Amino acid sequence: MPNLDRRRILSLGVALGLVGVADPTKAWAWASADSVAGTGAGVDPEYIWDSATDPLMVSLLENGQVPAVNTAMSGWVNNGDELPGGLPAELAAHLLTVNKLPSWADPAKLARAADFNRRKDTYLFMLYGLGSGIMSTVIPREARSVYWSVGGADMKDRAAKTFTFGYDLSQLDAFKPTGQFVVTANKTRLVHGAVRHLLPQSPHWKDGADQTIPISVADILVTFHSLGTFVHRKMRDWKIPMSAADEDAFLHSWQVAIHLLGVPTEYIPKTWAAAEAQSAQVLTPILAPTPEGLDLAEVLLGLTAEIDLGVTRGFLNEFVRYTLSNEVGDWLGLKRDYAAAALVRTAWPAFILFREGLSPVMPGAFYMLDQFIRALAMLFLNKGESGTTTPITIPTGNRPG
């Protein structure tokens, strides 16, 4: 990763809406008193992985058991489903331990978060898809890990699976027995464990890596902030009406989500203010372009352009710039379209006002924007083929070639 000067970091922090940005050269300084646990040892999460899952996945991979596990788990979808038969005993024992909500999960908050997601799904689709999705391509470690893992060879499938994670989290029954997020999260956690073992075997990944093992707890926190914290901040920036209870519930759903991915509670922020402080330390200072990220961004924007509906590539480029900053747009080489930029900067705020009942005037681009958002969502739901869950399978190798 290139060295990033302090001025560049502060500039990007301002562009992304951060009040303060930490110095990336300093040691881990986030206070565990601001976590869900309220206390902690203060160990840098950069050097913590998943001690419960990783040795198990090494064993399954080295013993050639993963294909059979994938077959057994293919029908395991809903949270209330019994564990599938045919799983190795150690895997079944692990899943019985982790495939459940933590004791501190608040059902009332999770229900409110589900209703909030339903009411704000229009903005969530745009922010997760064209905001967080494209931001992931300028997170160097994430871009390299995605590109050189086996999923990087089929980005349409990879995008569908990534979108499914957020989509399952947004469902009304996400954490209920009829929902799917708890199972989705636990399958994802197993995938992470496999990738931690596989990627270090890839000479391509190792050539650009600044760590010996990928997907540390710090990396998962980075992903959380590029999704949950970023989306919350942008909805506030866009002046989308949210009650304090809504905001708290939305955070709680993400607290439970990253717990299910194996993040210890001493690193899970207990408030949005604590999340912003952590994000300023772990996310903003590391954003930078990479060859892998540039390629992934072009693939993702190319997929989005497939849905058309009158939306030009220039509109997509300018919406990314509007959401993530011109600096990120320049990194990705997104060609300027000043007519589209003017449309985005005038029509989108008017679209929000009309949808929220704050203005009686329907913007001329309302129908185009509304249809585009819905098409964007369906594009990534199982590659646009249906609204069913995209299968999450444990990899057995890296990107070929």
Side-chain angles (χ1 to χ4, degrees), residues 59-385:
S59 174
L60 294 177
L61 284 163
E62 292 186 344
N63 292 329
Q65 295 172 286
V66 168
V69 167
N70 282 330
T71 298
M73 292 201 307
S74 61
W76 183 45
V77 175
N78 291 333
N79 301 333
D81 291 348
E82 295 289 334
L83 284 181
L87 295 178
E90 62 273 23
L91 175 58
H94 169 71
L95 291 174
L96 284 173
T97 301
V98 300
N99 191 52
K100 57 187 178 182
L101 297 179
S103 60
W104 46 266
D106 185 328
K109 286 185 179 181
L110 294 177
R112 188 177 188 106
D115 183 63
F116 173 77
N117 289 331
R118 176 189 61 81
R119 287 183 278 119
K120 306 302 181 184
D121 63 353
T122 296
Y123 317 115
L124 293 175
F125 284 140
M126 289 296 275
L127 286 169
Y128 284 142
L130 292 181
S132 303
I134 303 304
M135 188 194 296
S136 71
T137 69
V138 292
I139 299 174
R141 286 181 176 178
E142 185 167 345
R144 290 190 182 105
S145 292
V146 168
Y147 189 88
W148 292 115
S149 65
V150 70
D154 184 351
M155 277 307 297
K156 192 165 188 175
D157 180 69
R158 169 72 190 216
K161 291 175 179 176
T162 301
F163 192 91
T164 294
F165 185 88
Y167 183 78
D168 286 352
L169 176 60
S170 300
Q171 292 302 287
L172 282 171
D173 57 354
F175 295 98
K176 296 179 180 178
T178 53
Q180 301 175 357
F181 184 77
V182 178
V183 170
T184 294
N186 274 286
K187 287 184 178 181
T188 302
R189 186 173 176 179
L190 296 179
V191 170
H192 286 171
V195 171
R196 290 187 191 102
H197 180 60
L198 293 169
L199 267 185
Q201 301 173 38
S202 165
H204 306 289
W205 178 80
K206 288 172 67 175
D207 281 347
D210 64 346
Q211 56 187 168
T212 56
I213 303 172
I215 320 180
S216 67
V217 166
D219 295 328
I220 296 176
L221 290 172
V222 166
T223 300
F224 156 58
H225 293 303
S226 73
L227 290 160
T229 307
F230 166 76
V231 166
H232 172 257
R233 185 190 316 131
K234 293 304 295 187
M235 288 198 290
R236 296 195 72 175
D237 290 347
W238 288 348
K239 297 180 172 57
I240 294 168
M242 299 182 288
S243 69
D246 283 342
E247 293 182 68
D248 187 46
F250 183 62
L251 173 61
H252 190 63
S253 68
W254 273 103
Q255 290 168 334
V256 174
I258 58 177
H259 164 82
L260 291 171
L261 290 179
V263 175
T265 52
E266 70 177 273
Y267 299 104
I268 301 177
K270 67 179 179 182
T271 64
W272 281 120
E276 288 287 359
Q278 191 182 81
S279 178
Q281 178 166 349
V282 303
L283 174 60
T284 308
I286 68 169
L287 296 177
T290 62
E292 295 91 342
L294 293 172
D295 186 74
L296 294 177
E298 186 59 33
V299 171
L300 289 172
L301 287 169
L303 290 175
T304 307
E306 289 180 10
I307 64 179
D308 191 23
L309 295 176
V311 175
T312 66
R313 174 60 189 268
F315 173 87
L316 295 176
N317 289 353
E318 292 299 337
F319 198 92
V320 170
R321 287 177 175 274
Y322 176 69
T323 305
L324 294 180
S325 80
N326 280 324
E327 183 164 10
V328 171
D330 290 344
W331 286 348
L332 297 176
L334 303 182
K335 293 182 180 179
R336 298 305 310 258
D337 183 330
Y338 293 102
L343 173 66
V344 170
R345 294 176 189 279
T346 56
W348 184 247
F351 176 83
I352 292 172
L353 288 172
F354 183 77
R355 279 199 64 95
E356 294 297 321
L358 301 175
S359 169
V361 180
M362 177 187 291
F366 179 87
Y367 181 76
M368 180 270 288
L369 288 170
D370 195 59
Q371 291 299 107
F372 172 72
I373 292 163
R374 297 181 188 283
L376 176 68
M378 287 309 301
L379 172 69
F380 293 118
L381 290 178
N382 206 19
K383 295 182 282 189
E385 296 166 6

